[in-house]
Structures are given as structure tokens and as C-alpha cells.
Amino acid sequence: MRPGSVTQLGSMRFRSILDNLALDARRLRADKLVTLYHSCHRELCGVGEGSLLVQNYVSILAEALGCAHRDYFQEFKKLGVPDAIVDLSRPMWESHGLTEEHA
């Protein structure tokens, strides 16, 4: 695919490609789907469940170096409910002095 062609696919075709990628990974018994770009991670992190984890390569490197971090974005995406996301993210935005309304 040439650069920019993702936007030409349309959202339904793009979603189909991502869903098929996850299905193929499960069919092949992959335990991890590794993303290269943050935008790929953003789109794919919602499909990782059970025996298939979705992780950005930077997170894998961080684990290997002993400085792993929690993937809040993936948790937020899987929650999908704004009130639950607000509750889980509360310590982050409160630590910056933000109100719930502003956050």
C-alpha cells in the first residue's frame, strides 16, 4: 500500500482489514500482535483479548529494559464508556490540577 492509501480505503474496508488481521493472528495461534506505529496501536489495541495481546514495540522494549508501563490507552478503548474512562483516568488529570469538567 502506498502512503496515504489508508485514507482512500474507507472506514468499513479499513475496519475489515484490521478485523481479518486479528482473526489471522488468532488462527495462527499468535500470542501477541505487535504494532510499529502509534496510529496502528490506536486502531488495533481494541482487538486484543484473551490469548492475543496487542502491544507496541516500544512497550516490549521498555519491558525488556525493566521500565514497563501500563497501557492506559488500550484500557480506555476497551472500556468504551466515558464515565468509566473518567474514573480510571482521574488520578492522572487530578495530579495536574484539572477539574472533572475540564478533563
Side-chain angles (χ1 to χ4, degrees):
M1 225 182 266
R2 62 183 174 70
S5 60
V6 170
T7 57
Q8 296 170 0
L9 289 173
S11 60
M12 288 179 58
R13 177 72 179 125
F14 182 62
R15 186 78 248 159
S16 173
I17 291 169
L18 297 181
D19 291 343
N20 286 328
L21 177 63
L23 286 172
D24 287 345
R26 286 187 173 89
R27 182 179 52 79
L28 294 168
R29 296 189 180 114
D31 60 352
K32 194 172 285 187
L33 187 56
V34 179
T35 59
L36 180 61
Y37 300 105
H38 296 297
S39 58
C40 295
H41 186 72
R42 181 186 65 233
E43 296 298 328
L44 285 165
C45 71
V47 303
E49 294 177 13
S51 62
L52 180 65
L53 301 175
V54 176
Q55 204 172 10
N56 185 270
Y57 84 98
V58 173
S59 296
I60 295 170
L61 181 60
E63 279 181 13
L65 294 172
C67 53
H69 61 88
R70 189 170 170 182
D71 187 348
Y72 282 104
F73 184 84
Q74 188 163 179
E75 290 183 47
F76 295 159
K77 187 163 185 172
K78 287 180 180 180
L79 283 172
V81 179
D83 289 340
I85 294 168
V86 167
D87 288 341
L88 182 59
S89 64
R90 183 174 305 279
M92 291 172 235
W93 48 265
E94 279 185 343
S95 72
H96 293 281
L98 298 175
T99 66
E100 185 171 326
E101 182 178 289
H102 190 202

